[in-house]
Amino acid sequence: MKISVRQICFIMLAYTVVSKLLMYPTNLSLLCGRDLLFPALINFAVQAVIVWALAYLCSRTDKTFFQLIEGTLGNITARIVYGLFALFFMVCTIIPLFEQKLYVHAIFYDTVPSLLVFLPFFFLAIYAAYKGFENIGRCADICLPIFLVTIAFILGMSVLEVKWDSILPMLKTPAKSIFGGSAASLFRFAEPCYLLMFMGHFKYKKGDAAKITLSYIGGAVIVLFFLFVFYGVYGSISASRPFAISKISVFFPAIEMLGRIDLVALYALEIVMLFALVLNIQLAVHCVEKCTGYNNKAILSLAVNAVLLIILVTCDHYFSGIYNLFSKWMWIAFIVFANAVPLLAWTMRRRERR
């Protein structure tokens, strides 16, 4: 087997959180104000059900998702579906890629051109993307302890600065805005697709569905608590505070004497953020390989990363327009690929586990 349940649980916990620490809280604050917890709760609840359904499906078959499609609809259909998923994972990469570029420049290297600062990321992405699922699992093993220590440190510095009345009164935002915020941010929820790709590549044991689902729920709880702390610190001006993870600890009393000690944690947490971003590229390369039957992953990794680099360079000054496109229309694609398709996997022919 290429990846373990332990490593999948780490991904569902840590990567779920770090992929939502930059602009997600700011955008939810703009859309829903103090009720920003509720659109997040809606999305997490739906995704948790789908994650559980997929994890439980893994207890019913040893086949990969490609084999399920191939055994039901034929090899050509399986290749087409994986080609579409390759495009989907590349789409999943676009917004986080731009956010990371802007974040690294704003927080760490604000005196150097942002594009120049971020270009070395593609050396990591090219190397990691051709390594396969074994590399994904090892990266998860490395990232979990870094994530746990840094997120606890940052939240610990921030929680005492929360103004508990900032979040009250709750549920005063119109339902239309809450559900609109849920739809507009749905493009940040691709976690069921990760499990869909991992299917058949790990050895399922009794109780693993619960472990995977609880890991995802644990990540959801951390994100919800982070949203609460962020809005509790900044209140009504939260919508004007981008890169939330770098902002919530700045009022910690010790910073006045010791300086930005939180930057040490932010540097370390950035490692986890980058590996979470690379995961989308790794899965895109995997899907291209299955779609084309071409097994030279180094060439495929170069090709996928080249496309992403071209998008980053040519659209460097159009992030606002790209984000508006995603928030208005991309929920449709995520309903299909991250919600409907994983559930449809249950309808395909599968070999019962012994």
Side-chain angles (χ1 to χ4, degrees):
M1 291 295 148
K2 297 182 178 181
I3 193 169
S4 69
V5 172
R6 180 193 72 253
Q7 293 164 338
I8 293 173
C9 290
F10 291 172
I11 289 170
M12 287 296 169
L13 175 65
Y15 291 7
T16 294
V17 177
V18 298
S19 63
K20 298 172 180 64
L21 296 182
L22 296 183
M23 298 298 292
Y24 180 57
T26 305
N27 299 141
L28 280 185
S29 298
L30 178 63
L31 293 169
C32 305
R34 62 173 59 90
D35 287 322
L36 78 169
L37 294 176
F38 293 99
L41 184 60
I42 292 170
N43 286 342
F44 275 121
V46 172
Q47 304 308 310
V49 171
I50 298 172
V51 166
W52 174 83
L54 277 176
Y56 186 65
L57 177 59
C58 293
S59 72
R60 309 303 298 169
T61 181
D62 292 316
K63 291 183 178 180
T64 65
F65 182 51
F66 186 91
Q67 291 169 338
L68 285 178
I69 303 172
E70 187 177 38
T72 307
L73 301 173
N75 181 264
I76 299 300
T77 303
R79 289 173 181 266
I80 292 172
V81 170
Y82 264 66
L84 293 174
F85 265 99
L87 293 175
F88 175 76
F89 283 119
M90 292 176 71
V91 168
C92 290
T93 309
I94 292 174
I95 291 295
L97 192 65
F98 277 94
E99 288 182 347
Q100 280 294 326
K101 179 183 76 71
L102 296 171
Y103 172 71
V104 169
H105 177 254
I107 305 303
F108 302 130
Y109 304 103
D110 57 349
T111 60
V112 183
S114 60
L115 191 57
L116 184 63
V117 165
F118 198 66
L119 285 180
F121 162 78
F122 286 97
F123 292 102
L124 168 66
I126 291 169
Y127 174 77
Y130 85 87
K131 285 294 184 179
F133 285 1
E134 296 91 344
N135 178 263
I136 292 175
R138 294 191 191 105
C139 291
D141 284 330
I142 295 170
C143 287
L144 183 74
I146 299 173
F147 164 75
L148 292 176
V149 171
T150 53
I151 200 70
F153 182 71
I154 294 171
L155 288 175
M157 293 175 65
S158 311
V159 70
L160 295 179
E161 307 305 316
V162 171
K163 302 176 184 65
W164 301 96
D165 58 344
S166 296
I167 207 77
L168 299 174
M170 301 180 80
L171 287 177
K172 295 296 182 180
T173 303
K176 180 180 178 180
S177 296
I178 291 177
F179 285 105
S182 175
S185 58
L186 190 59
F187 66 85
R188 299 184 184 276
F189 292 82
E191 293 83 10
C193 295
Y194 302 158
L195 189 54
L196 195 65
M197 295 296 113
F198 296 151
M199 178 186 295
H201 294 287
F202 66 94
K203 185 176 181 181
Y204 185 93
K205 296 180 181 178
K206 185 177 180 180
D208 285 345
K211 294 176 184 177
I212 294 171
T213 306
L214 288 174
S215 298
Y216 184 72
I217 292 173
V221 170
I222 294 173
V223 173
L224 291 171
F225 183 67
F226 178 80
L227 293 173
F228 174 79
V229 171
F230 175 65
Y231 201 88
V233 171
Y234 285 101
S236 59
I237 64 171
S238 298
S240 63
R241 294 295 181 270
F243 312 126
I245 189 63
S246 67
K247 298 292 196 299
I248 64 171
S249 58
V250 296
F251 299 114
F252 186 62
I255 286 181
E256 296 181 4
M257 298 181 292
L258 303 176
R260 290 295 304 274
I261 56 175
D262 60 321
L263 285 178
V264 177
L266 292 176
Y267 270 113
L269 190 61
E270 177 65 10
I271 297 171
V272 188
M273 290 184 182
L274 291 179
F275 278 119
L277 176 56
V278 166
L279 176 59
N280 289 308
I281 303 175
Q282 291 172 310
L283 294 179
V285 170
H286 168 71
C287 289
V288 173
E289 180 189 18
K290 299 297 288 185
C291 172
T292 60
Y294 185 65
N295 296 322
N296 191 332
K297 282 192 173 183
I299 299 298
L300 296 178
S301 178
L302 280 170
V304 170
N305 279 282
V307 172
L308 293 172
L309 179 58
I310 291 170
I311 293 173
L312 187 67
V313 172
T314 57
C315 301
D316 190 31
H317 301 293
Y318 302 102
F319 174 67
S320 179
I322 294 172
Y323 180 82
N324 288 334
L325 174 66
F326 270 68
S327 62
K328 289 181 179 179
W329 299 108
M330 203 52 67
W331 62 270
I332 300 173
F334 277 73
I335 285 287
V336 173
F337 285 94
N339 293 263
V341 173
L343 293 177
L344 286 173
W346 270 96
T347 66
M348 298 179 186
R349 297 174 185 171
R350 56 188 184 274
R351 185 181 72 244
E352 296 293 329
R353 290 176 59 92
R354 294 181 181 179

